[in-house]
Amino acid sequence: PTKMKAVLLLLASMVGFTAAFGVGASTFTGASMSTLESTYITRSGRGDLSMMRHRKRVPKLGKPADQRKALLRALTTEVIRHGRIKTTLVRAKAVRKHVDHMIELGKRGDLHARRQALGWVYDKDLVHSLFEAAPERYADRAGGYTRVLRTMPRQGDNAKMAVIELV
């Protein structure tokens, strides 16, 4: 009889413990799991829970699409104008594709290529000079019109810096 009382007291204390901490009977009043999943799936933007970007080769550069496009257009224009610019390594690698494409358009030299270049490069006179100089300058080269050289990290934030230049 004393062992039976001890077992009953032990069971009663366990039932009280589970009820107090919500182990047995659920006292959860929050959103269900399906509601939470749909919240995370529909939300997007900085700082939110999102999928990893495996095999996505578009460098985001920490900017929305419109700002990223404007930055790449401006960097492309300046590389073609000056021949070499100093920027961050990630930006240099991202703009290399666009500069090479503009030179390919300049080598082609037809009206459609000229209009495509005018749609990307900000300076109209620069496009005309590119279309005059590119065919003879890059006639024997079938790609790889730019070179990215790493330089010392930036002083303020230690960002990796690079020089992108026309070959």
Side-chain angles (χ1 to χ4, degrees):
T2 58
K3 281 191 174 184
M4 187 65 95
K5 283 184 179 180
V7 169
L8 287 175
L9 280 172
L10 182 66
L11 285 174
S13 67
M14 286 173 60
V15 169
F17 174 80
T18 58
F21 290 99
V23 176
S26 176
T27 58
F28 180 69
T29 58
S32 67
M33 193 62 164
S34 63
T35 308
L36 289 175
E37 288 173 1
S38 65
T39 304
Y40 286 125
I41 290 170
T42 57
R43 292 178 63 186
S44 62
R46 285 180 70 109
D48 293 334
L49 181 66
S50 61
M51 301 291 288
M52 289 186 182
R53 299 186 65 246
H54 294 298
R55 296 180 56 100
K56 305 291 186 233
R57 292 296 171 224
V58 176
K60 295 285 191 178
L61 302 176
K63 299 194 177 307
D66 58 339
Q67 295 176 19
R68 184 170 55 247
K69 182 179 176 183
L71 175 70
L72 290 173
R73 287 179 68 188
L75 288 173
T76 303
T77 303
E78 295 307 310
V79 168
I80 294 171
R81 176 178 290 133
H82 298 292
R84 76 183 318 184
I85 61 168
K86 184 176 180 181
T87 183
T88 63
L89 180 64
V90 177
R91 288 179 181 181
K93 287 182 177 181
V95 78
R96 177 173 50 187
K97 168 186 166 186
H98 298 286
V99 174
D100 285 352
H101 182 61
M102 291 302 118
I103 293 175
E104 285 287 338
L105 292 176
K107 280 177 64 175
R108 249 180 40 205
D110 58 348
L111 180 62
H112 182 59
R114 186 177 295 263
R115 286 180 175 166
Q116 283 181 319
L118 285 169
W120 186 261
V121 176
Y122 284 125
D123 191 358
K124 185 177 179 179
D125 296 329
L126 186 64
V127 171
H128 295 313
S129 65
L130 173 70
F131 273 67
E132 291 171 4
E136 59 266 7
R137 181 173 176 181
Y138 299 107
D140 59 338
R141 187 177 284 269
Y145 307 109
T146 55
R147 180 184 297 129
V148 176
L149 302 169
R150 294 172 186 244
T151 60
M152 296 298 291
R154 188 162 52 199
Q155 185 73 34
D157 59 355
N158 206 29
K160 294 179 182 176
M161 297 299 286
V163 171
I164 181 168
E165 62 185 8
L166 296 176
V167 176

